């Protein structure tokens, strides 16, 4: 830099020139200015007092304002022309080393060389910051100057980072994490903490014994006789210290640390969690994350027993802790979302997995991912002709239970399971299977019978979407943003399994009519039915559907009871008569009130003469008991008990009237057939 000299006044110009030379050679290495080093020339570097006096001179001439810019410019030029090339040449000479201990020594040498070359600049930076605080310099301020210097260093040195360097850094940091975790697993007493407490002892023991049998160290990967774990921890500590002093720690290690943590977390989750639904993994992983954070503290904090962590380092550690936790929640939620179909199928045994997923979803934005994944899984694995309707209903019931735990607002259930509801409407036997499950006649949907017998069921009689205002205002929770605004929140939250199944068709009449048909079939064809059970079912259904719709079913059961009483009365009268006046065979009629029963098929059957006469006799007896009433026989309905004589044995069979008529025709035929 040239100084202007006025004629006749050489003193100030000479003073300015000397001051500038003192400052320039004192703040930057002479080689950066194209001068010989102080060792070669024999010159003694100026002391701090001399440098400060020179700065005072520059300040007197108004040149102190350009000193910081000049310093950063010289540093940048030296980095581009010398320091950066020398650093990367050191790396490139041995970057292909496959041996991890040698790679680690290479990094120590390279960054040690870099630190030695930058040490004069860093020392001068401290002086410039000190003078700025004292008001001797004008510039960006102490913190601004330091940030500018380190930004220049990072920008020039790592402007174009070789891929091989990044791979080497990542490989070494991955090894560092495994070495650290292995040292923590061994603990003070040489035991594995994962075998203690309430963790997965089966997995831990299997892994522990596998490690015992392996000839290689689980940390450094070398033969146990040549383990270098302790040396690796020490050398990584040295490397982190060097990077920290150069403010390159995050720039060099952040990407490698991130990739390593992501890879290790995925591997651990796949190994431990996939397919395991019956226990929670959150507590175990939270403990593991704390050990990972301890490793991050070794990487970024550099806090020894006598050196507390700086606020900046503490902030860095908190950022990384949040990053690891968010990544774990996101990956764990993705794993459970992928397995959600199987988790729902295994509910309630899989409830811990559902609760873990709920915890993670509250901390991530993955609801849409869950909805898309579950709908795709349902359509692929469930909603096709190869699955029985009973199995579809069973899984839908499990989905209602599981998704209510996952999302109490029931929005996920409403959206994700809409394909199930839409598909069930296309199945002809859906209503019959649901009603059979309600009455306990279906093995696959037995949960419906339990649901029907609950002491406080949700009534379906009114069908109104009224808001529930009985709760406390502070307990109110808004629906998620993906909820249908056209549907009542309280109605959705209070819906139980039966109401959700009934709402598939939007009307309860279908289910009531189907129940009437099933009840009629059971009463007329299954003569061993339990009256108490049927009465109980009707009473429970009245709580759900109301008394008026179930009135027909009550009359049907009353008809059965009246029929038993009438048959008993007629039989009692017959027994009082002489033996020669008693009928040749007994007739027991089921007397139906036709307007209350489902319509029967109008089928005709010609019965033998003796049977027709017996039926007419029974009809007259009934008319005698019930004045002004008569019977209209349905010959195709009922049950006939008869003996069939074969050549070598006699069979007692219970057959339908049609079958009985066919057998009776053999009675008048020649041959061995007799009834």
């Amino acid at each position: 830099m040239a100084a202007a000299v006025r004629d006749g006044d050489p003193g100030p110009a000479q003073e300015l020139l000397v001051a500038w030379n003192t400052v320039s050679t004192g703040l930057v290495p002479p080689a950066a200015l194209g001068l010989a080093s102080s060792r070669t020339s024999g010159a003694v570097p100026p002391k701090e007092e001399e440098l400060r006096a020179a700065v005072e001179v520059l300040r007197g001439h108004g040149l102190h304002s350009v000193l910081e810019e000049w310093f950063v410019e010289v540093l940048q030029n030296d980095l581009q022309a010398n320091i950066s090339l020398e650093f990367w040449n050191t790396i490139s000479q041995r970057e292909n080393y496959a041996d991890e201990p040698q790679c680690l020594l290479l990094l120590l040498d390279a960054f040690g060389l870099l630190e030695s070359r930058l040490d004069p600049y860093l020392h001068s930076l401290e002086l410039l910051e000190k003078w700025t605080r004292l008001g001797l310099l004008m510039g960006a301020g102490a913190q601004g100057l330091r940030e500018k210097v380190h930004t220049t260093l990072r920008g020039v040195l790592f402007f174009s980072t070789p891929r091989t360097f990044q791979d080497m850094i990542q490989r070494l940091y991955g090894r560092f994490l495994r070495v650290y975790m292995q040292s923590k697993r061994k603990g003070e007493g040489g035991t594995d903490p994962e075998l203690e407490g309430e963790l997965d002892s089966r997995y831990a023991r299997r892994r522990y014994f596998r490690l015992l049998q392996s000839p290689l160290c689980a940390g450094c990967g070398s033969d146990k006789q040549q383990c270098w774990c302790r040396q690796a921890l020490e050398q990584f500590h040295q490397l982190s210290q060097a990077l920290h002093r150069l403010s390159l720690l995050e720039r060099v290690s952040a990407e490698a640390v991130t990739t390593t943590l992501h890879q290790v977390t995925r591997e651990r989750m796949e190994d431990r969690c996939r397919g395991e639904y019956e226990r929670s993994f959150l507590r175990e992983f939270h403990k593991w994350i704390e050990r990972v954070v301890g490793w991050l503290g070794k990487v970024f904090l550099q806090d020894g027993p006598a050196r507390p962590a700086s606020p900046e380092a503490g902030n860095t550690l908190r950022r990384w802790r949040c990053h690891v936790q968010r990544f774990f929640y996101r990956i764990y939620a993705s794993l459970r979302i992928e397995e959600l179909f199987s988790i729902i199928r295994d509910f309630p045994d899989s409830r811990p997995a559902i609760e873990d997923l709920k915890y993670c979803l509250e901390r991530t934005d993955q609801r849409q991912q869950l909805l898309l994944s579950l709908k795709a899984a349902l359509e692929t694995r469930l909603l096709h002709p190869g699955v029985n309707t009973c199995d579809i209903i069973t899984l839908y019931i499990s989905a209602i239970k599981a998704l209510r735990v996952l999302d109490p607002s029931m929005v996920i259930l409403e959206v994700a399971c809409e394909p199930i509801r839409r598909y069930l409407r296309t199945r002809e036997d859906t209503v019959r299977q649901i009603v059979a499950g309600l009455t306990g006649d279906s093995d696959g949907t037995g949960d419906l019978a339990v649901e029907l017998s609950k002491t406080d069921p949700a009534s379906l009689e009114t069908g109104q979407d009224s808001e529930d205002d009985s709760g406390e205002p502070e307990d109110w929770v808004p629906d998620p943003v993906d909820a249908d605004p056209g549907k009542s929140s309280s109605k959705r939250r209070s819906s139980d399994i039966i109401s959700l199944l009934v709402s598939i068709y939007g009307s309860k009449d279908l289910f009531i009519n189907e129940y009437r048909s099933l009840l009629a079939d059971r009463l007329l064809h299954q003569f061993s039915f339990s009256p108490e059970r049927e009465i109980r079912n009707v009473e429970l259904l009245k709580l759900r559907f109301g008394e008026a719709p179930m009135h027909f079913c009550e009359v049907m059961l009353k008809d059965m009871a009246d029929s038993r009483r009438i048959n008993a009365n007629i039989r009692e009268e017959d027994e009082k008569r002489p033996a020669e006046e008693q009928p040749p065979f007994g007739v027991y009629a089921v007397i139906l009130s036709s307007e209350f029963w489902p319509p029967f098929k109008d089928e005709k059957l010609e019965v033998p003469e003796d049977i027709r006469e017996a039926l007419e006799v029974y009809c007259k007896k009934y008319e005698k008991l019930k004045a002004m009433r008569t019977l209209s026989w349905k010959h195709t309905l009922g049950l006939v008990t008869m003996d069939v004589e074969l050549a070598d044995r006699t069979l007692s069979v219970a057959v339908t009237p049609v079958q009985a008529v066919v057998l009776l025709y053999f009675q008048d035929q020649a041959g061995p057939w007799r009834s």
Side-chain angles (χ1 to χ4, degrees):
M1 180 175 183
V5 181
R6 291 180 297 175
D7 295 339
D9 190 13
Q14 184 65 29
E15 182 185 24
L16 177 60
L17 182 60
V18 172
W20 181 259
N21 289 336
T22 300
V23 170
S24 61
T25 56
L27 292 181
V28 300
L33 302 175
L35 304 175
S37 64
S38 57
R39 293 182 180 180
T40 305
S41 61
V44 179
K47 299 180 180 180
E48 182 178 347
E49 295 78 7
E50 297 173 350
L51 289 173
R52 179 170 178 174
V55 170
E56 293 282 3
V57 174
L58 295 179
R59 179 179 175 80
H61 290 78
L63 295 178
H64 61 294
S65 60
V66 300
L67 186 58
E68 294 180 359
E69 295 182 7
W70 169 84
F71 177 77
V72 174
E73 182 178 353
V74 172
L75 171 62
Q76 180 176 346
N77 292 335
D78 197 13
L79 282 170
Q80 292 173 337
N82 303 302
I83 300 176
S84 179
L85 293 177
E86 188 175 356
F87 173 78
W88 288 114
N89 285 336
T90 303
I91 294 291
S92 62
Q93 289 176 2
R94 294 175 289 179
E95 65 182 1
N96 294 324
Y97 281 172
D99 186 66
E100 291 178 354
Q102 293 183 351
C103 290
L104 185 54
L105 290 175
L106 167 63
L107 289 179
L108 285 173
D109 292 343
F111 283 103
L113 174 63
L114 179 64
E115 187 176 9
S116 66
R117 294 297 308 274
L118 291 175
D119 187 64
Y121 290 101
L122 298 178
H123 176 70
S124 299
L125 176 61
E126 294 178 358
L127 291 177
L128 291 172
E129 289 176 334
K130 179 179 179 180
W131 296 338
T132 300
R133 288 192 295 269
L134 294 175
L136 298 178
L137 300 178
M138 293 177 56
Q143 293 299 324
L145 176 60
R146 177 170 290 275
E147 181 61 30
K148 187 181 296 186
V149 167
H150 290 306
T151 300
T152 301
L153 174 60
R154 292 189 293 268
V156 174
L157 196 62
F158 297 102
F159 176 74
S160 179
T161 306
R163 184 69 256 176
T164 53
F165 176 77
Q166 290 292 343
D167 293 341
M168 179 172 60
I169 292 291
Q170 181 177 330
R171 189 169 74 251
L172 289 176
Y173 272 92
R175 179 61 64 191
F176 182 23
L177 176 59
R178 286 189 289 272
V179 169
Y180 177 83
M181 288 298 192
Q182 178 65 13
S183 66
K184 289 298 179 183
R185 275 194 293 266
K186 290 181 179 179
E188 294 295 333
T191 60
D192 191 339
E194 293 182 4
L195 293 178
E196 303 172 0
E198 299 178 356
L199 303 181
D200 185 5
S201 58
R202 181 182 58 184
Y203 168 85
R205 289 191 177 93
R206 185 173 67 246
R207 180 180 178 278
Y208 183 63
F209 289 119
R210 186 171 66 243
L211 293 177
L212 286 178
Q213 296 172 359
S214 174
L216 301 180
C217 174
C220 63
S222 302
D223 189 276
K224 291 182 179 180
Q225 302 299 326
Q226 300 176 350
C227 174
W228 61 289
C229 287
R230 185 181 299 275
Q231 181 183 0
L233 290 175
E234 295 175 355
Q235 291 176 346
F236 267 108
H237 183 67
Q238 297 172 11
L239 177 62
S240 295
Q241 284 183 322
L243 293 173
H244 180 70
R245 288 192 294 268
L246 295 171
S247 295
L248 294 175
L249 187 53
E250 284 207 61
R251 176 61 184 83
V252 172
S253 62
E255 180 180 351
V257 168
T258 301
T259 303
T260 297
L261 290 178
H262 289 186
Q263 179 181 353
V264 171
T265 304
R266 290 179 188 275
E267 291 176 353
R268 184 180 180 87
M269 199 169 297
E270 285 288 333
D271 195 15
R272 285 176 172 264
C273 305
R274 182 172 291 279
E276 293 285 341
Y277 312 138
E278 298 184 6
R279 72 181 188 90
S280 172
F281 288 90
L282 290 179
R283 181 182 176 186
E284 173 184 341
F285 267 90
H286 283 154
K287 291 183 178 180
W288 180 78
I289 288 174
E290 288 305 312
R291 294 213 303 271
V292 170
V293 172
W295 174 71
L296 291 172
K298 294 294 183 181
V299 173
F300 294 109
L301 286 185
Q302 312 306 319
D303 54 333
R307 180 182 176 185
S310 64
E312 181 181 355
N315 293 334
T316 300
L317 186 60
R318 281 190 290 272
R319 287 200 312 270
W320 278 97
R321 182 195 300 270
C322 292
H323 172 80
V324 174
Q325 289 177 338
R326 284 197 302 268
F327 180 77
F328 162 71
Y329 294 144
R330 187 170 66 253
I331 296 302
Y332 188 54
S334 297
L335 174 65
R336 289 312 188 206
I337 288 173
E338 180 184 342
E339 299 177 310
L340 189 53
F341 182 91
S342 300
I343 293 173
I344 290 174
R345 182 193 59 205
D346 294 348
F347 195 85
D349 294 339
S350 60
R351 186 185 183 97
I354 289 288
E355 293 175 344
D356 282 359
L357 178 57
K358 178 183 178 182
Y359 185 88
C360 294
L361 286 179
E362 291 171 351
R363 289 155 178 79
T364 62
D365 185 19
Q366 294 176 275
R367 285 177 64 93
Q368 193 63 27
Q369 176 188 347
L370 184 149
L371 292 173
L372 295 175
S373 175
L374 182 56
K375 289 174 70 174
L378 291 173
E379 293 176 354
T380 302
R381 302 176 60 179
L382 185 69
L383 307 181
H384 57 79
V387 182
N388 294 328
T389 303
C390 181
D391 295 333
I392 298 176
I393 296 174
T394 300
L395 192 128
Y396 182 42
I397 293 173
S398 295
I400 294 172
K401 295 179 179 179
L403 296 181
R404 177 178 284 139
V405 175
L406 180 64
D407 177 28
S409 71
M410 305 287 281
V411 174
I412 291 179
L413 173 67
E414 182 180 81
V415 177
C417 292
E418 179 58 29
I420 299 181
R421 300 165 60 84
R422 188 167 56 247
Y423 185 79
L424 284 174
R425 284 194 289 268
T426 67
R427 289 284 183 106
E428 296 180 353
D429 59 338
T430 297
V431 177
R432 178 169 288 267
Q433 291 290 347
I434 294 175
V435 173
L438 288 173
T439 57
D441 296 325
S442 175
D443 295 335
T445 54
D447 289 344
L448 289 178
V450 177
E451 187 76 12
L452 182 64
S453 62
K454 286 185 175 179
T455 56
D456 187 21
S459 175
L460 301 173
E461 184 176 6
T462 59
Q464 296 176 352
D465 292 347
S466 59
E467 292 292 340
D468 184 11
D469 297 329
S470 61
E472 297 295 333
E474 59 269 16
D475 296 335
W476 177 80
V477 178
D479 282 341
V481 295
D482 49 354
D484 185 353
K487 296 186 178 180
S488 167
S489 172
S490 63
K491 186 69 175 180
R492 184 191 305 113
R493 293 172 187 264
S494 62
S495 298
D496 60 2
I497 293 174
I498 295 178
S499 61
L500 288 170
L501 289 172
V502 172
S503 66
I504 291 176
Y505 292 92
S507 171
K508 60 186 179 182
D509 295 337
L510 285 172
F511 293 88
I512 295 174
N513 292 333
E514 184 63 32
Y515 176 71
R516 284 180 60 204
S517 299
L518 287 176
L519 180 60
D521 181 73
R522 188 158 50 247
L523 296 179
L524 297 179
H525 297 95
Q526 300 178 17
F527 292 92
S528 61
F529 72 93
S530 171
E532 294 79 9
R533 175 191 172 195
E534 300 302 335
I535 293 173
R536 176 178 178 273
N537 286 338
V538 169
E539 292 298 323
L540 291 173
L541 289 171
K542 284 167 60 177
L543 296 176
R544 292 279 181 172
F545 298 103
E547 292 195 14
M550 300 303 299
H551 177 63
F552 283 20
C553 298
E554 288 184 296
V555 174
M556 293 166 62
L557 292 175
K558 184 177 180 299
D559 285 346
M560 300 301 294
D562 291 344
S563 298
R564 287 193 297 271
R565 186 174 61 255
I566 292 171
N567 286 321
N569 291 336
I570 293 177
R571 184 177 179 182
E572 183 179 353
E573 291 295 329
D574 289 342
E575 290 177 350
K576 294 178 181 179
R577 298 183 180 185
E580 60 273 9
E581 296 182 8
Q582 293 185 2
F585 48 82
V587 176
Y588 302 90
V590 177
I591 303 169
L592 312 180
S593 304
S594 57
E595 64 271 20
F596 293 96
W597 286 71
F600 301 107
K601 292 182 180 180
D602 189 13
E603 297 177 333
K604 295 183 179 181
L605 177 66
E606 293 291 336
V607 298
E609 184 65 26
D610 54 347
I611 295 180
R612 184 165 52 251
E613 292 177 357
L615 295 179
E616 290 176 356
V617 171
Y618 185 93
C619 184
K620 292 179 181 180
K621 295 177 182 177
Y622 174 78
E623 291 173 351
K624 183 179 178 180
L625 288 174
K626 299 287 186 178
M628 306 299 292
R629 293 186 183 183
T630 188
L631 298 177
S632 175
W633 295 99
K634 297 292 183 181
H635 294 143
T636 58
L637 299 177
L639 187 70
V640 180
T641 303
M642 56 193 308
D643 294 334
V644 179
E645 294 182 3
L646 302 178
D648 57 346
R649 63 190 184 278
T650 300
L651 300 178
S652 294
V653 295
V655 296
T656 66
V658 175
Q659 294 169 335
V661 168
V662 173
L663 290 173
L664 287 173
Y665 274 112
F666 286 93
Q667 185 156 299
D668 299 328
Q669 304 295 325
W673 295 90
R674 291 290 184 271
S675 63

